[in-house]
Amino acid sequence: MSSTTENHTARHNGIRTVGEPAIVRWLLTAVAMAFLALFLALPLAAVFSQAFEKGWQTYLAALKEPDTLAAVKLTLLTAAVAVPFNLAFGVVASWAIAKFSFPGKNLLITLIDLPFSVSPVISGLIYVLIFGRQGWLGPWLEAHDLKIIFAVPGIILATVFVTFPFIARELIPLMESQGKDEEEAAIVLGASGLQTFFRVTLPNIRWGIIYGVILCNARAMGEFGAVSVVSGHIRGMTNTVPLQVEILYNEYNYTAAFAVASLLALLALVTLVVKSVAEWNVRRQMKSQERG
Amino acid sequence: MGPMRVMKILKCTKSVLPGFGPTMGYTLLYLSLVVLIPLSALLLKAAGLSWGEFLGAVAAPRVLASYRVTFGAALAAAGINAVFGVLVAWVLVRYPFPGKRLVDALVDLPFALPTAVAGITLATVYSANGWVGRHLEPHGIKVAFTPLGIVVAMTFIGLPFVVRTVQPVIEELDAEIEEAAACLGASRWQTFRRVLFPLLAPSVLTGFALAFARGVGEYGSIIFIAGNMPMVSEITPLIIITKLEQYDYAGATAVATVMLVASFVMLLVINMLQKWSRRYAE
Amino acid sequence: MKMGKVTTLLAGLLATLGVATAASSAEITLLNVSYDPTRELYSDYNIAFAKYWQKKSGDRVTVKQSHGGAGKQARAVIDGLEADVVTLALAYDIDAIAEKGLIKPGWQKELPHNSSPYTSTIVFLVRKGNPKQVRNWDDLVKPGVSVITPNPKTSGGARWNYLAAWGFALHQKGGNEAKAREFVTKLFKNVPVLDSGARGSTNTFVQRGLGDVLLAWENEAFLAINELGPDKFEIVTPPESILAEPPVTVIDKVVDKRGTRKVAEEYLKYLYSDEGQKIAARHYYRPINAKIPTKLAKIKKFYTIDKDFGGWRSAQKIHFADGGVFDQIVGAGGRK
């Protein structure tokens, strides 16, 4: 506890007595930037350059197309359902895992990680095997006229699966590194479990949560493979933004395809810039509190 | 060490914190509903095959070649990311430079960009008539439509995993340790190698594992840049799709099972290694 | 007591809603699950059919479309995608749906001409001026000619490409199965990339500038030229090719459940009308009604799947199944 506080103070005051010589810093920065340019910035630039190839008018027209708007709506809906589900899970699971010791913890963490590594192709397929006409629940669903796959619920399920670990994965190490001394002190002083969580733990993991939500959201909106398997590709109904991009591209409508794709890229950039600005504000706040 | 550990375990289980039961219950329930039950559907479908059929599906020469391509490329990509990801994280945390916040945001691009768009874009940039490919082609380096293209795509999608796992750890590094090392006469490189790297290693390992696992499963971005030639640049997820195209659900799930088990074992080993190294560091 | 009242109220409300929807049932939606190259065709045809149907019956019909690789689409229907009609690239994929009991056996006899209201064939798209002088199938196996085709394992169109080449070799003087195999092996040695679908291949050929020849559906080749520049590409129609018959059918189980059988059947029948045939011709499909004018070049000799390959089931098993001829060709190709 004390060491982290000192560390924070040291960082916030900008004290750094050791470091690399300027030339090394410069070189490392240059190499890192070159790498990022090659793998991230260039592809990003390519997206925007193709999106605006035919000017603003075409760009806006592409975004206003009804099928595209329907896709945007569906994507927003999917993320709005999937992210809160995984948020609740992430917070609860990280409490159970980080604050307590129990056998099989590694196994549990690994199982939570698993959707990261499951091929999107497979993550779609498993829902087909369960909810499809030939699947476990297929006949029952059909008898009750309920539609899961090739409809919105299936798309949401696949998205929940794919983004499942993001928030938990962000919070578990964070809460583990923070330990449980503060919470234990609160309990000993008579706070209830929920009070402890909301007053002590939550403020500590706030940034982890925001960060996890942003990543989870970005991935939820961008998922292609798994959703493609369960979507059914009905135009204006079960196409999400990434699927719409593929459709447009396959119609040789490259400009529109990249215009719609650029929406997702923009979303990523904007949310992340907002996040770092907010983070910066909070740090400043903390600093002024420390001084005051 | 022995008695200390026993003490520690005792101390942990007798936690004064409440809520273990309900939170663990919810965790297991949700995990089962979303991940375990659906995945067991996969395993059960594959279990419908006899051993001979199973082996026939997962060990055909074409499938074996796809494992080589997939796991090899994923390993290479995760390796590249482990090196450059740490470098990027280090630079982002330690060095001030203009536009840093934007660059920081950029790192998450691969999470947000739909994989199909990523694939198309990478193919655009790295094919013989693309921005980068144009300059590589004269030197005889072909990226798009070769196994190298697969590595590029996997590097792209795996990068944030390494940067985002290593970054917070670098942020938390205690400056005192470095100062102490410097005071004791260590050079900067020695400090990094002997003092900092062991502290970073667990997170680098995690990032590597996640990038690797993600690369192995990736489909959407790779098919656009891989060339998809059987035996040469065909990835395992494509084999699964191919089997599905022939209505061979059982064969597809058999190959999927192999991939799933490989990823699971890999992640489990890494998580254990990490725990072990953390204990060792303590 | 109170709960009871609320329930009655709700029930009443639902009943009124039910009546309301029943009364306005003149709004009909159909789902047509199709393969990739028919996007433009059906977006035109659906409008024409809606007009026709409203005039005839007074009902407003909206046809929703779903497009994708033929195999993937058939699988979606098998797994529960509620398609009223399917319009796919190969009878094989529709047979797969029929096998699961969703379509009555003998579906291909329900409509004229093997239930294929239009046909198509495989042609070559080459770069402007035809620099490699590709005129016929045997030009494709020449050294230095780079051929783009999708993967026959994942693309229905690519299976037609493959079989067209096979059929060509089979029909040459002294042609036999062994010679055909040798020919196709040589052909695939000239293929640098196998995309998973037809449109992926077109994009590779056009956008990436890869390859000298693209093997494509005739209508796809024309579409690519119109969309991407007549100044850059031209079409070579080989003197012989394969006759592709993309069939259409109603999904019996779905239309009976949804009560859409009548309009779904009419939807498919209208494809055979003069108007339907004209729309098909406009989108570079070959109309089966000889009276409908078409700008497409004559092909001297057509091979057919039934005569030359013993039907789809046998072709699929021999050539495209795991371990089949195609696998052997690319595996034994020793490509490095």
Side-chain angles (χ1 to χ4, degrees), chain C residues 58-336:
Chain C
D59 292 348
R60 283 163 56 89
V61 59
T62 319
V63 186
K64 298 263 176 203
Q65 285 295 138
S66 166
H67 294 276
K72 185 179 175 179
Q73 295 292 79
R75 231 167 43 242
V77 172
I78 289 173
D79 284 324
L81 181 60
E82 285 207 321
D84 298 278
V85 299
V86 287
T87 51
L88 296 177
L90 332 164
Y92 175 75
D93 289 317
I94 299 186
D95 280 337
I97 304 175
E99 251 168 53
K100 300 288 172 187
L102 297 177
I103 308 171
K104 285 182 201 132
W107 61 270
Q108 215 166 1
K109 300 276 168 280
E110 294 283 330
L111 289 166
H113 202 264
N114 275 337
S115 287
S116 304
Y118 40 78
T119 65
S120 190
T121 188
I122 302 299
V123 300
F124 310 147
L125 190 68
V126 297
R127 304 200 182 273
K128 194 76 191 172
N130 198 355
K132 297 273 164 119
Q133 291 300 310
V134 176
R135 301 266 169 251
N136 203 347
W137 291 94
D138 45 5
D139 293 323
L140 300 179
V141 300
K142 286 186 180 151
V145 175
S146 167
V147 182
I148 305 291
T149 167
N151 190 339
K153 306 271 284 191
T154 53
S155 154
R159 272 172 238 168
W160 288 113
N161 293 349
Y162 171 104
L163 293 177
W166 191 282
F168 171 83
L170 211 56
H171 283 269
Q172 295 314 293
K173 256 191 202 132
N176 55 32
E177 293 287 328
K179 288 242 172 79
R181 182 181 174 134
E182 194 186 313
F183 182 79
V184 175
T185 307
K186 255 177 159 176
L187 173 63
F188 273 87
K189 281 219 168 99
N190 281 351
V191 176
V193 176
L194 286 171
D195 284 287
S196 58
R199 297 234 161 154
S201 282
T202 313
N203 280 323
T204 299
F205 182 75
V206 170
Q207 290 285 91
R208 314 275 162 262
L210 224 68
D212 303 306
V213 193
L214 172 74
L215 301 186
W217 289 105
E218 189 169 40
N219 62 304
E220 285 287 281
F222 276 99
L223 181 73
I225 284 204
N226 291 345
E227 294 280 321
L228 305 166
D231 48 332
K232 289 184 212 142
F233 308 101
E234 54 188 76
I235 289 172
V236 174
T237 310
E240 308 174 16
S241 192
I242 197 158
L243 180 69
E245 297 172 302
V248 301
T249 187
V250 164
I251 305 288
D252 293 302
K253 207 164 173 189
V254 174
V255 293
D256 288 343
K257 181 179 156 200
R258 297 188 62 224
T260 47
R261 174 174 287 280
K262 192 165 164 238
V263 57
E265 281 176 351
E266 283 295 326
Y267 176 76
L268 295 184
K269 272 187 201 147
Y270 192 61
L271 282 167
Y272 291 86
S273 71
D274 283 359
E275 177 65 18
Q277 292 283 298
K278 269 184 208 153
I279 295 174
R282 202 186 309 146
H283 289 280
Y284 307 101
Y285 282 90
R286 290 174 181 252
I288 51 162
N289 183 344
K291 284 188 212 126
I292 304 295
T294 159
K295 287 165 280 183
L296 303 174
K298 270 261 176 310
I299 289 194
K300 272 185 233 142
K301 189 159 155 202
F302 271 128
Y303 328 123
T304 69
I305 187 78
D306 289 330
K307 268 211 312 277
D308 295 290
F309 299 94
W312 265 113
R313 194 175 292 263
S314 138
Q316 176 73 25
K317 203 171 153 214
I318 294 172
H319 293 279
F320 308 120
D322 277 351
V325 177
F326 177 71
D327 271 4
Q328 294 165 22
I329 281 176
V330 287
R335 194 178 296 281
K336 273 276 130 54

Side-chain angles (χ1 to χ4, degrees), chain B residues 27-96:
Chain B
T27 302
L28 291 178
L29 177 74
Y30 190 76
L31 180 72
S32 308
L33 281 180
V34 175
V35 179
L36 300 184
I37 294 176
L39 285 179
S40 63
L42 183 82
L43 300 184
L44 278 178
K45 187 90 188 172
L49 292 170
S50 73
W51 262 112
E53 287 168 327
F54 184 83
L55 277 182
V58 303
R62 184 170 176 175
V63 182
L64 290 179
S66 85
Y67 298 146
R68 265 198 303 279
V69 171
T70 311
F71 287 90
L75 209 62
I80 293 173
N81 277 331
V83 174
F84 285 94
V86 172
L87 179 65
V88 167
W90 182 266
V91 167
L92 281 177
V93 174
R94 289 293 176 94
Y95 306 152

